[in-house]
Amino acid sequence: MLKSLIHKLMRIAYLIEVNPYKNSGIVKKINDQIEFWVQQGHDVEPFILWPKLKKGDKNYFVRGRLYSNEILNKLPDNFIKTYLTKIFTLPKIEKDLSQFSPDVLYIRQNIWYPGLTSVLSKYNTILEVNTVDTIEINHYSKFKKMVYNFGREKVLNSSKGIISVSPDILKHYEQYTHLLKKVVSNGINLSKINKIKKDENLDRVNFVFVGSNSMKWHGIDRIIELAKKFNEYFFNIVGYNKSDFKEVPNNMKFYGWVEKEELIEIYSKNHFGLGSFSNYLVGKKIDSTLKVREYLAYGLPVLLGHIDVDFKDCEFVFKITDDDGSFIDREEIKEYVEKNKNLIIDNKHLKIIDSSVKEKERLSFFELFLTK
């Protein structure tokens, strides 16, 4: 029966609760997902639920309708504004969803709000799970944690499937036997990225880390520790500000948030990308982070503090921490860096993470629900 469903065209609704005005790795990933689904002939309708910010702010999603509330848009930007926007805007989305009548409703796991589970339960809802939510929520405010925990079971019980980016995450959902489950690690559209590493113009080894502020599991404190161990190297931190940290060594530079063009220029002046070093804080010793895939796509080998799902044993992704999260011997790290500082990763080694490969896996999982 399943074989007869392969290549069947689907109506896919994507309920997106992600800031469209920030060109983040998540936005890029969602754009790539939708683009591939459409290229395969599927009818894809993104419903983007987010309050409007400043007049003239650019929407970085390439497809989809923006839903917000004109009155709530005037409130200061914070969690309450976003949460109320979801509550008061959902009825319009519910009406439009009913008209679209999707075969599959796809949504990234997020906080519950009134009316959500009623919508999710009407369709073949599949959650994309990107973190161990019961652990990560402890890093947010008490109010957000209270609301999230109140509605977590409601969201899960209103869904029919889970796609996780890591087996470490998926094992936390084993008790939900009504849910079909699959691991599809993060991918990246390799065709959109050119190699820009220019090691011959650099007078010392440079490392770059790219992230979003206030995420403790990124482990910026550990990167500061690393910079202190290797004062002969230089460390560039994008997405964070120097004022957020104490005792920053002189061989570090903080850029804050930058746009794509500046980020590419920064990449071109670095030998290595740095992954997260404190993923254990959110229960992930094995992960597939977007930043690692972007570094590799631009040609940079990577040093990180966890095991990558797709690169468990290869020369260009090097785990420099032990099982307890401590850095391995300094000389072992230095030997790797000196050996691979001029290495430029070729796409022939990265086919496993191309978004076309990942999205074929995701669409095959969607097809399982067409008989339900």
Side-chain angles (χ1 to χ4, degrees), residues 90-102:
L90 187 64
K92 174 59 177 171
I93 292 179
E94 183 174 14
K95 179 181 178 181
D96 291 348
L97 269 171
S98 179
Q99 292 178 349
F100 182 57
S101 187

Side-chain angles (χ1 to χ4, degrees), residues 38-292:
V38 171
Q39 287 174 352
Q40 298 302 299
H42 302 290
D43 187 2
V44 184
E45 191 69 36
F47 299 81
I48 306 165
L49 204 174
W50 199 266
K52 289 184 179 179
L53 303 181
K54 300 186 296 295
K55 185 177 180 180
D57 276 350
K58 179 179 178 180
N59 169 22
Y60 286 98
F61 284 115
V62 296
R63 287 176 176 266
R65 177 178 173 181
L66 284 165
Y67 292 79
S68 65
N69 180 285
E70 290 186 6
I71 296 175
L72 294 174
N73 286 338
K74 299 175 183 178
L75 296 177
D77 297 328
N78 53 34
F79 168 72
I80 297 298
K81 174 182 179 179
T82 303
Y83 193 73
L84 291 176
T85 297
K86 293 179 179 182
I87 296 172
F88 287 99
T89 307
L90 187 64
K92 174 59 177 171
I93 292 179
E94 183 174 14
K95 179 181 178 181
D96 291 348
L97 269 171
S98 179
Q99 292 178 349
F100 182 57
S101 187
D103 297 304
V104 168
L105 173 59
Y106 197 63
I107 180 173
R108 292 170 63 91
Q109 186 183 37
N110 211 321
I111 195 167
W112 167 91
Y113 48 95
L116 178 62
T117 53
S118 174
V119 173
L120 300 184
S121 61
K122 292 178 181 178
Y123 304 102
N124 291 319
T125 296
I126 301 173
L127 298 178
E128 180 179 299
V129 181
N130 291 275
T131 188
V132 182
D133 61 331
T134 53
I135 300 178
E136 183 175 318
I137 195 61
N138 294 317
H139 295 277
Y140 293 97
S141 69
K142 290 183 179 179
F143 177 70
K144 187 173 183 179
K145 178 181 177 180
M146 178 185 69
V147 176
Y148 187 90
N149 288 336
F150 172 79
R152 180 178 185 268
E153 296 288 320
K154 301 176 188 296
V155 171
L156 288 168
N157 290 330
S158 301
S159 303
K160 294 185 179 178
I162 281 183
I163 291 180
S164 169
V165 299
S166 161
D168 259 22
I169 297 172
L170 199 59
K171 68 184 181 183
H172 290 267
Y173 295 86
E174 291 176 350
Q175 68 270 38
Y176 300 99
T177 55
H178 74 284
L179 294 170
L180 291 182
K181 306 174 186 72
K182 185 175 180 63
V183 173
V184 179
S185 55
N186 279 317
I188 191 167
N189 191 335
L190 297 174
S191 67
K192 290 184 176 181
I193 298 176
N194 298 316
K195 307 301 178 185
I196 42 74
K197 185 173 178 180
K198 302 175 182 176
D199 51 274
E200 70 276 6
N201 297 325
L202 304 175
D203 56 358
R204 63 173 167 179
V205 176
N206 291 318
F207 299 84
V208 60
F209 176 89
V210 181
S212 298
N213 203 3
S214 302
M215 296 185 178
K216 293 182 180 179
W217 51 93
H218 282 167
I220 304 299
D221 56 329
R222 306 298 312 283
I223 297 177
I224 292 174
E225 179 186 344
L226 193 66
K228 290 177 179 178
K229 287 178 176 288
F230 293 95
N231 55 19
E232 68 269 39
Y233 299 151
F234 199 83
F235 296 77
N236 297 286
I237 310 297
V238 177
Y240 287 81
N241 298 306
K242 184 177 180 180
S243 58
D244 296 329
F245 304 94
K246 298 179 181 179
E247 299 181 10
V248 174
N250 293 329
N251 60 333
M252 295 191 78
K253 181 176 180 179
F254 290 78
Y255 292 82
W257 178 259
V258 302
E259 292 298 333
K260 179 180 178 180
E261 293 75 16
E262 185 178 354
L263 179 58
I264 292 174
E265 180 63 23
I266 293 170
Y267 279 148
S268 72
K269 298 177 180 178
N270 282 269
H271 295 87
F272 295 90
L274 294 173
S276 300
F277 285 96
S278 296
N279 274 8
Y280 61 88
L281 292 176
V282 285
K284 295 187 289 184
K285 292 185 177 181
I286 303 175
D287 206 357
S288 64
T289 60
L290 292 169
K291 65 173 60 59
V292 168

